[in-house]
């Protein structure tokens, strides 16, 4: 399952892009800044925000090592930053001075591509910071770019809807119309698909656009056989233009963000919808998966970045029965339990649990009495929190076994929502349950326990549609 674990609200304007390294999260915005956060606790780094650009920052990306961050802007520059101290390493000006809309490092960090509003695309030497090659597309602005995992070629997408493929010498290999109303984003899966007959490797490419569609392509390139791009399928789910898409690091999931304010997570093998996330209140402009852990970041015009965590196991591996899911948790090692405690903010209990050899099976069997008598946890508040978190874990098991996505369940009743509404805390609830909550003069959020700034409840039509689609699929 997936849950919202943190919301970053430091930008003063629309969030345009978010990107992960193995230890950091970067975000950039119309407010001209780039911000850096530690993945350990999502605190902002001391040298953040990074300030240089004089206009909106459209895109940011890490080098594969994570030591360098690139950002590009309407001011016509692509800037390289030292992520350790925030110092500027280089300022690379687009030859035409056109606003730079997208930038991307090659997998080996030797090159950086920048694409501009006038259709120019530049391949930079990322070590010398010098221009290596330059090209352009026939029509439209360049708004999307992705390198193949092996670095032999890269793909650009334009506002007129064309996908263009370039080799590492900036020679155009292929170009075709992919989305009628314009491309907005594209991404390669890092996991190759093998052809058993000829021993060739293919790569999945996802593209999305103003036509409300996500298209999956299969791409191959060898110096002997040349380049081949084949359309595979179209993923539906959004009811408005799709602005962002990204594969998970293991290639098992694909995420997309849309003008309909929703985020959809797909299983790439079955191409079915796993989760529909509706936390953002304006267009979702960016999606990114972390490389080593199952974290997802989504950025929006609502000026926030939401951090989502996938719990227990990947959604693609979710078990179908209560016994199987329960068995998964009972198979947790002592280290797994320690990681779970840290994720719940119970770091102080890690040593106590390890000394007492608490594994998954023991965790599920903990009671109020055992916390006092066996683990010697004296704090009543701490005991209550542990028991509450264990009960939440049991509830997740129940939800998983029922097959209902957790985001479709009301946080108050833990039942499938029929008439979901968004409260002023940003969470969605069953309308009747939240009205009852408020009628009892509870002015705090059921989720955060903080004072609700307003008692207004707004219908969550996007979530209601997602639940309806899920019911249609699962009740046949």
């Amino acid at each position: 399952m997936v849950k919202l674990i943190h919301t970053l609200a430091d930008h003063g304007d629309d969030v345009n892009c978010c990107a992960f390294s193995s230890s950091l999260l970067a975000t950039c915005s119309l407010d001209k800044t780039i911000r850096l956060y530690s993945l350990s606790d999502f605190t902002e780094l001391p040298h953040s925000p990074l300030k240089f650009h004089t206009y909106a920052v459209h895109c940011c990306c890490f080098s594969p090592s994570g030591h360098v961050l690139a950002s590009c802007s309407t001011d016509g520059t692509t800037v390289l930053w030292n992520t350790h101290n925030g110092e500027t390493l280089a300022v690379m000006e687009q030859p035409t001075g056109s606003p730079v809309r997208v930038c991307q490092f090659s997998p080996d960090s030797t090159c950086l591509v920048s694409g501009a509003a006038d259709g120019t695309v530049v391949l930079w030497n990322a070590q010398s910071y010098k221009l290596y090659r330059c090209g352009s597309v026939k029509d439209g602005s360049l708004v999307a770019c992705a390198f193949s995992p092996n670095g032999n070629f890269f793909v650009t997408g334009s506002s007129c809807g064309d996908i263009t493929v370039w080799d590492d010498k900036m020679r155009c290999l292929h170009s075709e119309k992919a989305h009628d109303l314009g491309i907005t984003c594209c991404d390669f899966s890092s996991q190759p698909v093998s052809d058993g007959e000829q021993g060739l490797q293919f790569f999945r490419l996802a593209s999305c656009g103003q036509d409300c569609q996500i298209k999956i392509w299969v791409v191959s390139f060898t110096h002997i056989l040349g380049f081949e791009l084949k359309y595979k399928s179209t993923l539906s789910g959004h009811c408005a233009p799709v602005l962002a898409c990204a594969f998970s690091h293991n290639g098992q999931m694909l995420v997309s963000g849309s003008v309909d304010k929703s985020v959809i997570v797909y299983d790439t093998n079955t191409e079915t919808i796993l989760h529909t996330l509706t936390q953002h209140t304006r267009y979702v402009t960016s999606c990114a998966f972390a490389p080593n852990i199952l974290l997802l970041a989504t950025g929006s015009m609502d000026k926030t970045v939401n951090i989502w965590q996938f719990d227990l196991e990947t959604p693609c591996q979710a078990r179908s029965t209560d016994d199987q899911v329960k068995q998964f948790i009972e198979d947790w090692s002592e280290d797994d339990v320690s990681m779970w405690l840290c994720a719940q903010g119970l770091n102080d209990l890690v040593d106590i649990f390890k000394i007492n050899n608490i594994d998954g099976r023991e965790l599920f069997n903990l009671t109020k009495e055992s916390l006092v008598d066996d683990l010697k946890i004296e704090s009543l508040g701490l005991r209550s929190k542990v028991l509450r978190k264990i009960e939440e874990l049991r509830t997740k098991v129940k939800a998983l076994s029922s097959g209902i996505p957790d985001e479709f369940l009301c946080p108050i009743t833990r039942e499938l929502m029929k008439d979901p509404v968004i409260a002023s805390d940003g969470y969605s609830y069953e309308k009747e349950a939240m009205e009852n909550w408020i009628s009892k003069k509870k002015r705090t959020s059921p989720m955060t326990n903080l004072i609700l700034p307003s008692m207004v409840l707004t219908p969550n039509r996007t979530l209601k549609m997602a639940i309806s689609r899920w019911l249609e699929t699962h009740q046949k």
Side-chain angles (χ1 to χ4, degrees), residues 120-192:
T120 57
V121 54
V122 176
L123 192 61
W124 303 90
N125 184 313
Q127 273 71 52
S128 66
Y129 314 136
K130 302 294 185 183
L131 187 151
Y132 173 57
R133 296 283 171 87
C134 186
S136 64
V137 295
K138 293 180 180 179
D139 300 298
S141 300
L142 278 182
V143 293
C145 178
F147 268 94
S148 65
N150 59 12
N152 288 341
F153 60 93
F154 64 94
V155 170
T156 58
S158 75
S159 59
C160 69
D162 291 340
I163 279 183
T164 304
V165 186
W166 313 79
D167 69 7
D168 53 7
K169 300 293 189 297
M170 280 292 295
R171 292 175 294 211
C172 180
L173 302 175
H174 182 81
S175 185
E176 73 173 76
K177 181 75 71 175
H179 295 267
D180 290 338
L181 304 177
I183 292 174
T184 53
C185 188
C186 61
D187 190 39
F188 274 102
S189 170
S190 61
Q191 303 301 313

Side-chain angles (χ1 to χ4, degrees), residues 384-451:
S384 298
K385 186 173 182 179
V386 172
L387 291 173
R388 186 168 66 251
K389 293 298 181 181
I390 293 173
E391 185 55 38
E392 288 177 6
L393 197 58
R394 292 192 181 105
T395 301
K396 287 178 183 177
V397 169
K398 185 177 179 181
L400 276 170
S401 65
S402 70
I404 302 174
D406 193 62
E407 60 271 18
F408 292 174
L409 300 176
C410 173
I412 298 173
T413 65
R414 298 303 298 170
E415 295 177 355
L416 186 68
M417 287 184 277
K418 299 177 181 177
D419 192 7
V421 293
I422 303 173
S424 58
D425 61 357
Y427 290 91
S428 293
Y429 305 90
E430 176 61 36
K431 182 180 179 182
E432 183 179 358
M434 194 59 187
E435 286 177 341
N436 289 337
W437 178 276
I438 294 172
S439 68
K440 294 176 182 176
K441 297 184 179 180
K442 293 184 178 180
R443 298 286 173 172
T444 56
S445 162
M447 292 295 286
T448 67
N449 208 33
L450 299 175
I451 299 296

Side-chain angles (χ1 to χ4, degrees), residues 134-322:
C134 186
S136 64
V137 295
K138 293 180 180 179
D139 300 298
S141 300
L142 278 182
V143 293
C145 178
F147 268 94
S148 65
N150 59 12
N152 288 341
F153 60 93
F154 64 94
V155 170
T156 58
S158 75
S159 59
C160 69
D162 291 340
I163 279 183
T164 304
V165 186
W166 313 79
D167 69 7
D168 53 7
K169 300 293 189 297
M170 280 292 295
R171 292 175 294 211
C172 180
L173 302 175
H174 182 81
S175 185
E176 73 173 76
K177 181 75 71 175
H179 295 267
D180 290 338
L181 304 177
I183 292 174
T184 53
C185 188
C186 61
D187 190 39
F188 274 102
S189 170
S190 61
Q191 303 301 313
V193 180
S194 297
D195 180 352
E197 296 179 1
Q198 300 182 31
L200 298 177
Q201 281 194 334
F202 299 86
F203 297 103
R204 283 195 189 103
L205 171 70
S207 64
C208 57
Q210 299 287 348
D211 56 6
C212 312
Q213 295 181 339
I214 303 162
K215 292 186 178 180
I216 305 298
W217 311 79
V218 177
V219 186
S220 65
F221 174 70
T222 65
H223 291 289
I224 298 175
L225 299 176
F227 173 85
E228 188 175 34
L229 173 71
K230 286 184 178 180
Y231 165 77
K232 180 178 180 289
S233 57
T234 296
L235 304 182
S236 59
H238 290 293
C239 58
V242 185
L243 302 182
C245 62
F247 282 99
S248 61
H249 188 63
N250 62 8
Q252 296 298 304
M253 289 182 286
L254 177 70
V255 64
S256 59
S258 168
V259 169
D260 65 16
K261 308 175 191 176
S262 74
V263 175
I264 295 180
V265 182
Y266 300 88
D267 182 328
T268 56
N269 295 314
T270 63
E271 298 188 349
T272 56
I273 294 176
L274 297 169
H275 303 286
T276 302
L277 312 175
T278 58
Q279 195 73 14
H280 287 294
T281 57
R282 295 194 64 198
Y283 301 174
V284 180
T285 55
S286 179
C287 303
F289 278 103
N292 299 324
I293 51 178
L294 273 176
L295 287 181
L296 168 67
T298 57
S300 168
M301 287 185 178
D302 62 15
K303 307 178 188 179
T304 69
V305 176
N306 284 333
I307 312 297
W308 308 85
Q309 183 181 56
F310 292 86
D311 289 337
L312 308 179
E313 51 190 333
T314 64
C316 307
Q317 299 169 324
R319 290 155 168 83
S320 60
T321 70
D322 183 86

Side-chain angles (χ1 to χ4, degrees), residues 17-33:
C17 185
C18 47
F20 282 101
S21 72
S22 59
S23 60
L24 299 175
L25 169 68
T27 63
C28 64
S29 167
L30 285 182
D31 66 11
K32 310 174 191 177
T33 68

